[in-house]
Amino acid sequence: MSPVTETTDVLVIGTGPGGAIPGFHLAAGGAKVVFLERGPWLKTEEFTHDLQLGTYTRLVDYVQCDGVNVIAGNCVGGSSVIYYAAALRAPSFVFDRHGLLGHRLWPTSITRSSMDRWYDRAEETLPVSEQTWNDVTYAGGVWAALCSRAGRTCNPVPVAVDLKQCTNCGWMLNGCRFGAKRSMLLNYLPAALAHHAEIRPLHEVQSISPAATSGYRYRVDYSTLNPDDYRRPTGGGSIEAKIVILAAGALGTPVILQRSERMLGGMPDAVGKYFSPNGDHVTMAVLDEKKVRDVLELQRSADVAYEGFAVGKPISSMTFDYLDPHRREFDRMSLQQIYFPTIVNILPDDGAHGAPSWFGMSKRELTRRWPSWLNILAMTEDGNEGTFGAPPPSGSFTRLASAASLGQITYRPSPQTLRGWRVADDRVRHIVEHERVGRFVEWTASPNALTAHPLSSCRIGDDPATSACDASHELRGHPGIFVTDGASVPTSLCVNPSLTIAALAERAAFAITKRAAAYGVEARSDVPVPTRS
Amino acid sequence: MSEPLAVSRRRLLQLATAAFVSWQAAPWADRLTAFAGNPGGTTSDAMTTTLEAFADTLIPGAKRYDGDYAVAGVARGPGAVHAGAVDLMWFPGAAIGPALPALAGYLSTRASAYAMKHRLRLDPTLPPFVALSFADRTRLLLELLDPSGQDYLAWWALAAMPFLAFHTAGHLHTADAVRRGHPGLRWIGFPHPDRDGLWRFRRFSYRRRLAHRHPHTTRNGNPR
């Protein structure tokens, strides 16, 4: 163990929304706050429009697990830097979900109406913009028109994007080169820095143990990483803190805790269990341009009806029609138009009969119509079926290359979850095929689920047996450690999770401030929302 | 159609490995090095042609020149090989380079085993996988890429390379690749960037209301 040379009031592990928001509140309230972030710190002008390996792979992690593959951010700002900025409140029924356990999974103190004030704060700070139909992309427009022809409603999606500054480049996964996407880099983090917080990139936390210094509760050990090869540590160190906020992401947070179990004298049973990929299920359609023109009566120009798959904001429209609270659990979902860069073009089926289904001649022909593709993301109700295995020797997963890793999760979707995905397929198929405007195509190349919304691996709840943290996000049995990232979200949300993670982090900040006071950290709790940069 | 040989998978692999080892000493080199310097051709060692044949099976393209054995030539136009699949495999960011000799060797072993199992006669002057017909290459890759297989992840990682080469030009800067007419990006119709190498779409919307909003949408556009 390296000698401890530093202390701080509050140590925040991770700089995504789960870390940046409470970190800002504590710093603005007067506490000394240090953020440790395992990824690099990139400025707006450093974000590229580039698919060369070594560019976007610096800030995106693709983690292959057993049964699920996860995309997550790996940089200062966390997943908010690479996300598609859909900013939606979870529907009311989500907070009453029972999942597979037969009892309410969210703390009883949390309902949609109790959350609305926290959603308000997050929306004001990011800020969130409501798109008009003039802001909806060609792909979002086609999805809306398809829904309408099928007798469905469809809404423009609220987004954390400055719509005036947005160039509709379509490169959101690479970070926003134009400073239009409201990631943590543009709001909470600069506000925290203005209150003297410190952010240290390329610092990968390995474990937490009891502090040796009087007045401090926890010691956090970290490695520093080579900026050109995250597999290679360049050194390490330790910091002692009175409060530790764990926000290393749903893939990172439980692994740090698993590794710390013996040093901390035990760990709640739910750490590393109940992982949810947010019920995400991706399918797509290949559209008939002539039908788009003749049936949907849409035309981009005199010659082109659609061919807009890669044009504009990646998320633009969605139908709320299947978010009816009266439907039974596992039958509710949103269906959202979405764009994925060509890095996932291996995944779609070729749409033809017989093997091979995802490579060869037919697949090559399908890709020739790439501009006419339309991706649909179903966000369904899953059963939190993921479990983490033993932690790797260091880091959150076994890193094979800069962005490619093997993770510890085993994910075996239950019959209820699988049924929800089949229902989603049927609904999308009906919408795109009922007037033969499009041909429904599944993603079959990988047997794994794919998600950019990892959740629930250290979730909050009222039941100690099935939740790692209590309703205030404090880790059970370890006062002063709080989990505030996607890991703390108890269930899949039927919408994109970023705004709910942000709202929960806003809510948790008040409880953390109260606990901090008990441990001798004087920090005000009535901090106004940060001003915009 | 003849019955497959009744031989265990373990024994088959042993035989195939032996065949591969002996094949490596065979006079394939003269024939393959004859490709070197051929326009559109790449290097022509056994490992490269084996990897090219693997890539061509996933995204097939046209033969590059007379005597192009790696590319089966079942398609017109570009395939993964033309898009730089092998260059990407060796690209440092792909981090798969150190494993390529072993993967190519094992692919040859599996091709030999496949040929023995199905009583196929392979041209002894070509690497075994290259010597298979396109249909047999495809059938073998279906076996290797079956998720229940022990080595599935290794083959999946290798299979990702042709797709990343063809669909992303992952070994090149994208703006440069598009401007220079990268075969894969051109095939899929990847849009062109502005002069500064960044993409912007000034026209991106039909600018029309295209559906009714859900009746229970909140004031700020959320579900209730």
Side-chain angles (χ1 to χ4, degrees), chain A residues 49-53 89 112 136 138 153-155 168-169 297 305 342 345 360 364, chain B residues 58 60 76 78 167 170 172-174 187 199 201 204-206 208 212 214 217 222-223:
Chain A
H49 286 185
D50 208 332
L51 293 172
Q52 187 183 56
L53 297 178
R89 301 185 184 204
R112 168 62 184 273
V136 170
Y138 296 126
T153 69
C154 192
N155 288 26
N168 277 281
C169 67
E297 299 178 337
T342 52
N345 278 12
R364 180 173 173 271
Chain B
L58 295 166
R76 288 184 179 180
H167 292 275
L172 303 169
H173 289 299
T174 310
W187 176 267
W199 277 256
F201 291 100
F204 60 90
S205 175
Y206 294 113
R208 285 165 50 191
H212 291 292
H214 192 276
T217 304
N222 283 284

mmCIF file of all heavy atoms in Angstrom, chain A residues 49-53 89 112 136 138 153-155 168-169 297 305 342 345 360 364, chain B residues 58 60 76 78 167 170 172-174 187 199 201 204-206 208 212 214 217 222-223:
data_model
loop_
_atom_site.group_PDB
_atom_site.id
_atom_site.type_symbol
_atom_site.label_atom_id
_atom_site.label_comp_id
_atom_site.label_asym_id
_atom_site.label_seq_id
_atom_site.Cartn_x
_atom_site.Cartn_y
_atom_site.Cartn_z
ATOM 1 N N HIS A 49 -14.697 14.176 -35.514
ATOM 2 C CA HIS A 49 -15.648 13.455 -36.365
ATOM 3 C C HIS A 49 -14.832 12.369 -37.048
ATOM 4 O O HIS A 49 -14.345 12.550 -38.164
ATOM 5 C CB HIS A 49 -16.266 14.405 -37.392
ATOM 6 C CG HIS A 49 -17.269 15.347 -36.814
ATOM 7 N ND1 HIS A 49 -18.012 16.211 -37.581
ATOM 8 C CD2 HIS A 49 -17.673 15.544 -35.529
ATOM 9 C CE1 HIS A 49 -18.832 16.911 -36.791
ATOM 10 N NE2 HIS A 49 -18.629 16.525 -35.559
ATOM 11 N N ASP A 50 -14.636 11.289 -36.380
ATOM 12 C CA ASP A 50 -13.699 10.303 -36.895
ATOM 13 C C ASP A 50 -14.038 8.927 -36.342
ATOM 14 O O ASP A 50 -14.326 8.790 -35.139
ATOM 15 C CB ASP A 50 -12.268 10.683 -36.469
ATOM 16 C CG ASP A 50 -11.221 10.187 -37.453
ATOM 17 O OD1 ASP A 50 -11.480 9.163 -38.119
ATOM 18 O OD2 ASP A 50 -10.166 10.824 -37.550
ATOM 19 N N LEU A 51 -14.011 7.933 -37.212
ATOM 20 C CA LEU A 51 -14.232 6.554 -36.791
ATOM 21 C C LEU A 51 -12.926 5.756 -36.790
ATOM 22 O O LEU A 51 -12.942 4.535 -36.635
ATOM 23 C CB LEU A 51 -15.260 5.875 -37.707
ATOM 24 C CG LEU A 51 -16.680 6.440 -37.601
ATOM 25 C CD1 LEU A 51 -17.577 5.845 -38.684
ATOM 26 C CD2 LEU A 51 -17.272 6.167 -36.224
ATOM 27 N N GLN A 52 -11.820 6.444 -36.980
ATOM 28 C CA GLN A 52 -10.542 5.728 -36.890
ATOM 29 C C GLN A 52 -10.363 5.222 -35.459
ATOM 30 O O GLN A 52 -10.612 5.956 -34.494
ATOM 31 C CB GLN A 52 -9.379 6.648 -37.264
ATOM 32 C CG GLN A 52 -8.064 5.897 -37.352
ATOM 33 C CD GLN A 52 -6.887 6.828 -37.650
ATOM 34 O OE1 GLN A 52 -6.646 7.780 -36.927
ATOM 35 N NE2 GLN A 52 -6.177 6.542 -38.725
ATOM 36 N N LEU A 53 -9.932 3.976 -35.338
ATOM 37 C CA LEU A 53 -9.664 3.442 -34.006
ATOM 38 C C LEU A 53 -8.573 4.281 -33.355
ATOM 39 O O LEU A 53 -7.573 4.616 -33.988
ATOM 40 C CB LEU A 53 -9.225 1.973 -34.098
ATOM 41 C CG LEU A 53 -10.264 1.011 -34.676
ATOM 42 C CD1 LEU A 53 -9.704 -0.405 -34.772
ATOM 43 C CD2 LEU A 53 -11.533 1.004 -33.830
ATOM 44 N N ARG A 89 -38.345 12.225 -18.445
ATOM 45 C CA ARG A 89 -38.736 11.769 -17.114
ATOM 46 C C ARG A 89 -39.334 10.367 -17.233
ATOM 47 O O ARG A 89 -40.092 10.091 -18.174
ATOM 48 C CB ARG A 89 -39.769 12.722 -16.515
ATOM 49 C CG ARG A 89 -39.253 14.140 -16.410
ATOM 50 C CD ARG A 89 -40.226 15.070 -15.715
ATOM 51 N NE ARG A 89 -39.686 16.435 -15.731
ATOM 52 C CZ ARG A 89 -40.002 17.391 -14.868
ATOM 53 N NH1 ARG A 89 -40.876 17.142 -13.896
ATOM 54 N NH2 ARG A 89 -39.472 18.588 -14.953
ATOM 55 N N ARG A 112 -43.039 9.388 -8.870
ATOM 56 C CA ARG A 112 -42.823 10.368 -9.936
ATOM 57 C C ARG A 112 -43.116 11.781 -9.432
ATOM 58 O O ARG A 112 -42.351 12.718 -9.709
ATOM 59 C CB ARG A 112 -43.702 10.011 -11.127
ATOM 60 C CG ARG A 112 -43.812 11.086 -12.193
ATOM 61 C CD ARG A 112 -42.491 11.448 -12.874
ATOM 62 N NE ARG A 112 -42.771 12.555 -13.788
ATOM 63 C CZ ARG A 112 -43.178 12.391 -15.046
ATOM 64 N NH1 ARG A 112 -43.270 11.169 -15.571
ATOM 65 N NH2 ARG A 112 -43.454 13.439 -15.794
ATOM 66 N N VAL A 136 -37.116 18.036 -35.590
ATOM 67 C CA VAL A 136 -37.110 16.572 -35.735
ATOM 68 C C VAL A 136 -36.440 16.193 -37.057
ATOM 69 O O VAL A 136 -36.750 16.756 -38.109
ATOM 70 C CB VAL A 136 -38.555 16.027 -35.659
ATOM 71 C CG1 VAL A 136 -38.607 14.561 -36.056
ATOM 72 C CG2 VAL A 136 -39.111 16.219 -34.254
ATOM 73 N N TYR A 138 -34.969 13.842 -40.331
ATOM 74 C CA TYR A 138 -35.657 13.012 -41.335
ATOM 75 C C TYR A 138 -36.029 11.648 -40.748
ATOM 76 O O TYR A 138 -37.143 11.158 -40.933
ATOM 77 C CB TYR A 138 -34.768 12.804 -42.563
ATOM 78 C CG TYR A 138 -34.456 14.068 -43.322
ATOM 79 C CD1 TYR A 138 -33.133 14.426 -43.591
ATOM 80 C CD2 TYR A 138 -35.472 14.904 -43.786
ATOM 81 C CE1 TYR A 138 -32.834 15.586 -44.300
ATOM 82 C CE2 TYR A 138 -35.185 16.064 -44.484
ATOM 83 C CZ TYR A 138 -33.860 16.403 -44.744
ATOM 84 O OH TYR A 138 -33.565 17.546 -45.429
ATOM 85 N N THR A 153 -49.604 7.526 -31.889
ATOM 86 C CA THR A 153 -49.074 8.872 -31.691
ATOM 87 C C THR A 153 -47.553 8.808 -31.717
ATOM 88 O O THR A 153 -46.959 7.719 -31.629
ATOM 89 C CB THR A 153 -49.520 9.459 -30.337
ATOM 90 O OG1 THR A 153 -48.863 8.739 -29.286
ATOM 91 C CG2 THR A 153 -51.033 9.386 -30.174
ATOM 92 N N CYS A 154 -46.944 9.955 -31.842
ATOM 93 C CA CYS A 154 -45.483 10.004 -31.795
ATOM 94 C C CYS A 154 -45.069 11.425 -31.399
ATOM 95 O O CYS A 154 -45.638 12.400 -31.903
ATOM 96 C CB CYS A 154 -44.885 9.632 -33.148
ATOM 97 S SG CYS A 154 -43.114 9.321 -33.094
ATOM 98 N N ASN A 155 -44.098 11.516 -30.509
ATOM 99 C CA ASN A 155 -43.687 12.810 -29.961
ATOM 100 C C ASN A 155 -42.259 13.164 -30.351
ATOM 101 O O ASN A 155 -41.401 12.269 -30.398
ATOM 102 C CB ASN A 155 -43.710 12.756 -28.426
ATOM 103 C CG ASN A 155 -45.104 12.718 -27.847
ATOM 104 O OD1 ASN A 155 -46.053 12.264 -28.495
ATOM 105 N ND2 ASN A 155 -45.233 13.189 -26.633
ATOM 106 N N ASN A 168 -26.514 19.465 -36.235
ATOM 107 C CA ASN A 168 -27.112 18.202 -36.697
ATOM 108 C C ASN A 168 -26.099 17.336 -37.428
ATOM 109 O O ASN A 168 -26.389 16.718 -38.446
ATOM 110 C CB ASN A 168 -28.348 18.467 -37.545
ATOM 111 C CG ASN A 168 -29.558 18.696 -36.654
ATOM 112 O OD1 ASN A 168 -30.142 17.750 -36.140
ATOM 113 N ND2 ASN A 168 -29.908 19.952 -36.425
ATOM 114 N N CYS A 169 -24.892 17.294 -36.871
ATOM 115 C CA CYS A 169 -23.798 16.569 -37.522
ATOM 116 C C CYS A 169 -23.979 15.055 -37.462
ATOM 117 O O CYS A 169 -23.487 14.345 -38.326
ATOM 118 C CB CYS A 169 -22.459 16.963 -36.894
ATOM 119 S SG CYS A 169 -22.260 16.416 -35.183
ATOM 120 N N GLU A 297 -45.880 10.316 -48.048
ATOM 121 C CA GLU A 297 -45.896 11.647 -48.671
ATOM 122 C C GLU A 297 -44.796 12.544 -48.108
ATOM 123 O O GLU A 297 -45.016 13.696 -47.743
ATOM 124 C CB GLU A 297 -47.278 12.302 -48.514
ATOM 125 C CG GLU A 297 -48.367 11.486 -49.191
ATOM 126 C CD GLU A 297 -49.754 12.092 -48.998
ATOM 127 O OE1 GLU A 297 -49.935 12.842 -48.024
ATOM 128 O OE2 GLU A 297 -50.639 11.796 -49.803
ATOM 129 N N ALA A 305 -36.566 10.948 -51.138
ATOM 130 C CA ALA A 305 -37.648 10.924 -50.157
ATOM 131 C C ALA A 305 -37.093 10.878 -48.730
ATOM 132 O O ALA A 305 -37.523 11.646 -47.857
ATOM 133 C CB ALA A 305 -38.547 9.717 -50.417
ATOM 134 N N THR A 342 -21.810 3.477 -37.851
ATOM 135 C CA THR A 342 -21.552 2.267 -38.631
ATOM 136 C C THR A 342 -20.694 1.246 -37.894
ATOM 137 O O THR A 342 -20.531 0.132 -38.391
ATOM 138 C CB THR A 342 -20.869 2.637 -39.954
ATOM 139 O OG1 THR A 342 -19.734 3.465 -39.667
ATOM 140 C CG2 THR A 342 -21.816 3.382 -40.872
ATOM 141 N N ASN A 345 -22.534 -1.954 -37.616
ATOM 142 C CA ASN A 345 -23.165 -2.521 -38.808
ATOM 143 C C ASN A 345 -22.983 -4.025 -38.945
ATOM 144 O O ASN A 345 -23.621 -4.659 -39.776
ATOM 145 C CB ASN A 345 -22.654 -1.817 -40.069
ATOM 146 C CG ASN A 345 -23.379 -0.504 -40.316
ATOM 147 O OD1 ASN A 345 -24.094 -0.021 -39.451
ATOM 148 N ND2 ASN A 345 -23.188 0.078 -41.495
ATOM 149 N N GLY A 360 -21.931 -12.156 -45.459
ATOM 150 C CA GLY A 360 -22.033 -12.755 -46.790
ATOM 151 C C GLY A 360 -22.734 -11.832 -47.781
ATOM 152 O O GLY A 360 -22.889 -10.634 -47.553
ATOM 153 N N ARG A 364 -24.212 -7.901 -47.494
ATOM 154 C CA ARG A 364 -23.536 -6.844 -48.262
ATOM 155 C C ARG A 364 -24.564 -6.030 -49.055
ATOM 156 O O ARG A 364 -24.487 -4.808 -49.131
ATOM 157 C CB ARG A 364 -22.506 -7.494 -49.182
ATOM 158 C CG ARG A 364 -21.709 -6.542 -50.058
ATOM 159 C CD ARG A 364 -20.638 -7.353 -50.770
ATOM 160 N NE ARG A 364 -19.896 -6.596 -51.761
ATOM 161 C CZ ARG A 364 -20.244 -6.475 -53.041
ATOM 162 N NH1 ARG A 364 -21.366 -7.044 -53.474
ATOM 163 N NH2 ARG A 364 -19.483 -5.802 -53.885
ATOM 164 N N LEU B 58 -16.803 -12.850 -45.179
ATOM 165 C CA LEU B 58 -17.779 -12.053 -44.424
ATOM 166 C C LEU B 58 -18.387 -10.951 -45.287
ATOM 167 O O LEU B 58 -19.598 -10.725 -45.261
ATOM 168 C CB LEU B 58 -17.102 -11.463 -43.186
ATOM 169 C CG LEU B 58 -16.647 -12.526 -42.177
ATOM 170 C CD1 LEU B 58 -15.701 -11.926 -41.153
ATOM 171 C CD2 LEU B 58 -17.847 -13.163 -41.483
ATOM 172 N N PRO B 60 -17.960 -10.205 -49.149
ATOM 173 C CA PRO B 60 -17.286 -10.614 -50.383
ATOM 174 C C PRO B 60 -17.154 -9.474 -51.389
ATOM 175 O O PRO B 60 -17.945 -8.530 -51.398
ATOM 176 C CB PRO B 60 -18.192 -11.721 -50.931
ATOM 177 C CG PRO B 60 -19.511 -11.514 -50.283
ATOM 178 C CD PRO B 60 -19.274 -10.827 -48.977
ATOM 179 N N ARG B 76 -19.586 -8.695 -57.340
ATOM 180 C CA ARG B 76 -19.012 -7.595 -58.110
ATOM 181 C C ARG B 76 -18.769 -6.424 -57.163
ATOM 182 O O ARG B 76 -19.520 -6.226 -56.219
ATOM 183 C CB ARG B 76 -19.969 -7.150 -59.193
ATOM 184 C CG ARG B 76 -20.089 -8.134 -60.324
ATOM 185 C CD ARG B 76 -20.980 -7.538 -61.388
ATOM 186 N NE ARG B 76 -21.121 -8.424 -62.529
ATOM 187 C CZ ARG B 76 -21.845 -8.143 -63.594
ATOM 188 N NH1 ARG B 76 -22.496 -6.994 -63.655
ATOM 189 N NH2 ARG B 76 -21.937 -8.992 -64.598
ATOM 190 N N PRO B 78 -16.668 -3.828 -54.483
ATOM 191 C CA PRO B 78 -15.746 -3.956 -53.354
ATOM 192 C C PRO B 78 -16.253 -4.874 -52.259
ATOM 193 O O PRO B 78 -17.456 -5.014 -52.038
ATOM 194 C CB PRO B 78 -15.662 -2.517 -52.836
ATOM 195 C CG PRO B 78 -16.999 -1.927 -53.163
ATOM 196 C CD PRO B 78 -17.406 -2.550 -54.460
ATOM 197 N N HIS B 167 -17.130 -0.690 -43.093
ATOM 198 C CA HIS B 167 -18.180 0.265 -42.704
ATOM 199 C C HIS B 167 -17.665 1.496 -41.993
ATOM 200 O O HIS B 167 -18.411 2.475 -41.853
ATOM 201 C CB HIS B 167 -19.213 -0.435 -41.810
ATOM 202 C CG HIS B 167 -20.019 -1.459 -42.528
ATOM 203 N ND1 HIS B 167 -21.152 -1.138 -43.243
ATOM 204 C CD2 HIS B 167 -19.857 -2.792 -42.684
ATOM 205 C CE1 HIS B 167 -21.649 -2.238 -43.795
ATOM 206 N NE2 HIS B 167 -20.879 -3.251 -43.472
ATOM 207 N N GLY B 170 -11.785 1.998 -40.275
ATOM 208 C CA GLY B 170 -11.259 2.239 -38.937
ATOM 209 C C GLY B 170 -9.758 2.441 -38.853
ATOM 210 O O GLY B 170 -9.257 2.854 -37.811
ATOM 211 N N LEU B 172 -8.263 4.486 -40.997
ATOM 212 C CA LEU B 172 -8.051 5.763 -41.692
ATOM 213 C C LEU B 172 -8.857 6.859 -40.998
ATOM 214 O O LEU B 172 -9.832 6.575 -40.305
ATOM 215 C CB LEU B 172 -8.531 5.655 -43.155
ATOM 216 C CG LEU B 172 -7.904 4.551 -43.996
ATOM 217 C CD1 LEU B 172 -8.665 4.406 -45.311
ATOM 218 C CD2 LEU B 172 -6.427 4.852 -44.260
ATOM 219 N N HIS B 173 -8.449 8.111 -41.217
ATOM 220 C CA HIS B 173 -9.303 9.204 -40.769
ATOM 221 C C HIS B 173 -10.529 9.243 -41.684
ATOM 222 O O HIS B 173 -10.410 9.202 -42.921
ATOM 223 C CB HIS B 173 -8.544 10.522 -40.820
ATOM 224 C CG HIS B 173 -7.487 10.626 -39.763
ATOM 225 N ND1 HIS B 173 -7.790 10.579 -38.418
ATOM 226 C CD2 HIS B 173 -6.131 10.761 -39.842
ATOM 227 C CE1 HIS B 173 -6.677 10.682 -37.723
ATOM 228 N NE2 HIS B 173 -5.656 10.782 -38.547
ATOM 229 N N THR B 174 -11.695 9.342 -41.087
ATOM 230 C CA THR B 174 -12.928 9.161 -41.853
ATOM 231 C C THR B 174 -13.066 10.197 -42.970
ATOM 232 O O THR B 174 -13.441 9.850 -44.102
ATOM 233 C CB THR B 174 -14.146 9.231 -40.914
ATOM 234 O OG1 THR B 174 -13.911 8.364 -39.806
ATOM 235 C CG2 THR B 174 -15.414 8.803 -41.625
ATOM 236 N N TRP B 187 -19.614 2.428 -50.864
ATOM 237 C CA TRP B 187 -20.654 1.414 -51.083
ATOM 238 C C TRP B 187 -21.899 1.706 -50.249
ATOM 239 O O TRP B 187 -23.032 1.590 -50.733
ATOM 240 C CB TRP B 187 -20.094 0.029 -50.733
ATOM 241 C CG TRP B 187 -21.080 -1.079 -50.821
ATOM 242 C CD1 TRP B 187 -21.847 -1.573 -49.809
ATOM 243 C CD2 TRP B 187 -21.417 -1.846 -51.982
ATOM 244 N NE1 TRP B 187 -22.638 -2.603 -50.252
ATOM 245 C CE2 TRP B 187 -22.397 -2.786 -51.596
ATOM 246 C CE3 TRP B 187 -20.988 -1.831 -53.301
ATOM 247 C CZ2 TRP B 187 -22.945 -3.704 -52.483
ATOM 248 C CZ3 TRP B 187 -21.541 -2.745 -54.190
ATOM 249 C CH2 TRP B 187 -22.507 -3.668 -53.789
ATOM 250 N N TRP B 199 -18.715 17.286 -40.225
ATOM 251 C CA TRP B 199 -20.021 17.099 -40.864
ATOM 252 C C TRP B 199 -21.023 18.098 -40.279
ATOM 253 O O TRP B 199 -21.030 18.344 -39.075
ATOM 254 C CB TRP B 199 -20.534 15.669 -40.626
ATOM 255 C CG TRP B 199 -20.007 14.654 -41.571
ATOM 256 C CD1 TRP B 199 -20.670 14.090 -42.611
ATOM 257 C CD2 TRP B 199 -18.702 14.050 -41.584
ATOM 258 N NE1 TRP B 199 -19.874 13.184 -43.265
ATOM 259 C CE2 TRP B 199 -18.657 13.138 -42.660
ATOM 260 C CE3 TRP B 199 -17.559 14.201 -40.807
ATOM 261 C CZ2 TRP B 199 -17.539 12.375 -42.969
ATOM 262 C CZ3 TRP B 199 -16.432 13.446 -41.109
ATOM 263 C CH2 TRP B 199 -16.437 12.550 -42.179
ATOM 264 N N PHE B 201 -25.279 19.238 -41.176
ATOM 265 C CA PHE B 201 -26.421 19.092 -42.078
ATOM 266 C C PHE B 201 -27.333 20.302 -41.890
ATOM 267 O O PHE B 201 -28.034 20.408 -40.890
ATOM 268 C CB PHE B 201 -27.174 17.789 -41.802
ATOM 269 C CG PHE B 201 -26.378 16.568 -42.181
ATOM 270 C CD1 PHE B 201 -25.704 15.840 -41.207
ATOM 271 C CD2 PHE B 201 -26.271 16.174 -43.502
ATOM 272 C CE1 PHE B 201 -24.957 14.722 -41.550
ATOM 273 C CE2 PHE B 201 -25.529 15.050 -43.851
ATOM 274 C CZ PHE B 201 -24.867 14.329 -42.877
ATOM 275 N N PHE B 204 -32.058 19.028 -42.438
ATOM 276 C CA PHE B 204 -32.113 17.748 -41.711
ATOM 277 C C PHE B 204 -33.539 17.348 -41.350
ATOM 278 O O PHE B 204 -33.754 16.280 -40.791
ATOM 279 C CB PHE B 204 -31.281 17.844 -40.431
ATOM 280 C CG PHE B 204 -31.766 18.917 -39.484
ATOM 281 C CD1 PHE B 204 -32.717 18.618 -38.515
ATOM 282 C CD2 PHE B 204 -31.290 20.217 -39.578
ATOM 283 C CE1 PHE B 204 -33.183 19.603 -37.658
ATOM 284 C CE2 PHE B 204 -31.755 21.213 -38.711
ATOM 285 C CZ PHE B 204 -32.697 20.901 -37.759
ATOM 286 N N SER B 205 -34.516 18.208 -41.658
ATOM 287 C CA SER B 205 -35.873 17.967 -41.157
ATOM 288 C C SER B 205 -36.908 18.195 -42.251
ATOM 289 O O SER B 205 -36.741 19.066 -43.107
ATOM 290 C CB SER B 205 -36.153 18.924 -39.988
ATOM 291 O OG SER B 205 -37.495 18.807 -39.558
ATOM 292 N N TYR B 206 -37.989 17.403 -42.188
ATOM 293 C CA TYR B 206 -39.115 17.656 -43.089
ATOM 294 C C TYR B 206 -39.883 18.916 -42.673
ATOM 295 O O TYR B 206 -40.703 19.421 -43.443
ATOM 296 C CB TYR B 206 -40.067 16.454 -43.093
ATOM 297 C CG TYR B 206 -39.470 15.193 -43.690
ATOM 298 C CD1 TYR B 206 -39.219 14.077 -42.889
ATOM 299 C CD2 TYR B 206 -39.159 15.105 -45.046
ATOM 300 C CE1 TYR B 206 -38.677 12.914 -43.424
ATOM 301 C CE2 TYR B 206 -38.623 13.949 -45.587
ATOM 302 C CZ TYR B 206 -38.376 12.853 -44.772
ATOM 303 O OH TYR B 206 -37.841 11.708 -45.304
ATOM 304 N N ARG B 208 -42.334 19.425 -40.692
ATOM 305 C CA ARG B 208 -43.794 19.288 -40.696
ATOM 306 C C ARG B 208 -44.212 18.477 -39.479
ATOM 307 O O ARG B 208 -43.473 17.588 -39.042
ATOM 308 C CB ARG B 208 -44.260 18.485 -41.921
ATOM 309 C CG ARG B 208 -44.220 19.214 -43.218
ATOM 310 C CD ARG B 208 -44.346 18.227 -44.373
ATOM 311 N NE ARG B 208 -45.455 17.293 -44.240
ATOM 312 C CZ ARG B 208 -45.617 16.208 -45.018
ATOM 313 N NH1 ARG B 208 -44.722 15.945 -45.976
ATOM 314 N NH2 ARG B 208 -46.641 15.412 -44.863
ATOM 315 N N HIS B 212 -49.697 12.928 -34.276
ATOM 316 C CA HIS B 212 -50.273 13.553 -33.077
ATOM 317 C C HIS B 212 -49.414 13.187 -31.885
ATOM 318 O O HIS B 212 -48.930 12.061 -31.770
ATOM 319 C CB HIS B 212 -51.706 13.050 -32.858
ATOM 320 C CG HIS B 212 -52.659 13.540 -33.909
ATOM 321 N ND1 HIS B 212 -53.023 14.861 -34.021
ATOM 322 C CD2 HIS B 212 -53.312 12.872 -34.902
ATOM 323 C CE1 HIS B 212 -53.860 14.997 -35.041
ATOM 324 N NE2 HIS B 212 -54.045 13.804 -35.597
ATOM 325 N N HIS B 214 -48.864 12.208 -27.996
ATOM 326 C CA HIS B 214 -49.650 11.401 -27.063
ATOM 327 C C HIS B 214 -50.495 12.335 -26.192
ATOM 328 O O HIS B 214 -49.998 13.359 -25.714
ATOM 329 C CB HIS B 214 -48.713 10.553 -26.194
ATOM 330 C CG HIS B 214 -49.436 9.499 -25.433
ATOM 331 N ND1 HIS B 214 -50.048 9.760 -24.221
ATOM 332 C CD2 HIS B 214 -49.674 8.191 -25.705
ATOM 333 C CE1 HIS B 214 -50.616 8.647 -23.788
ATOM 334 N NE2 HIS B 214 -50.410 7.677 -24.669
ATOM 335 N N THR B 217 -49.144 13.619 -22.755
ATOM 336 C CA THR B 217 -47.819 14.239 -22.686
ATOM 337 C C THR B 217 -47.865 15.435 -21.740
ATOM 338 O O THR B 217 -48.822 16.210 -21.766
ATOM 339 C CB THR B 217 -47.400 14.720 -24.094
ATOM 340 O OG1 THR B 217 -47.460 13.608 -24.986
ATOM 341 C CG2 THR B 217 -45.991 15.292 -24.077
ATOM 342 N N ASN B 222 -42.933 15.288 -21.687
ATOM 343 C CA ASN B 222 -42.626 13.994 -21.072
ATOM 344 C C ASN B 222 -43.850 13.099 -20.943
ATOM 345 O O ASN B 222 -44.983 13.598 -20.919
ATOM 346 C CB ASN B 222 -42.047 14.225 -19.669
ATOM 347 C CG ASN B 222 -40.610 14.662 -19.722
ATOM 348 O OD1 ASN B 222 -39.724 13.846 -19.954
ATOM 349 N ND2 ASN B 222 -40.368 15.957 -19.543
ATOM 350 N N PRO B 223 -43.627 11.783 -20.808
ATOM 351 C CA PRO B 223 -44.751 10.904 -20.458
ATOM 352 C C PRO B 223 -45.149 11.158 -19.000
ATOM 353 O O PRO B 223 -44.323 11.594 -18.205
ATOM 354 C CB PRO B 223 -44.169 9.499 -20.628
ATOM 355 C CG PRO B 223 -42.693 9.667 -20.449
ATOM 356 C CD PRO B 223 -42.366 11.043 -20.953
#
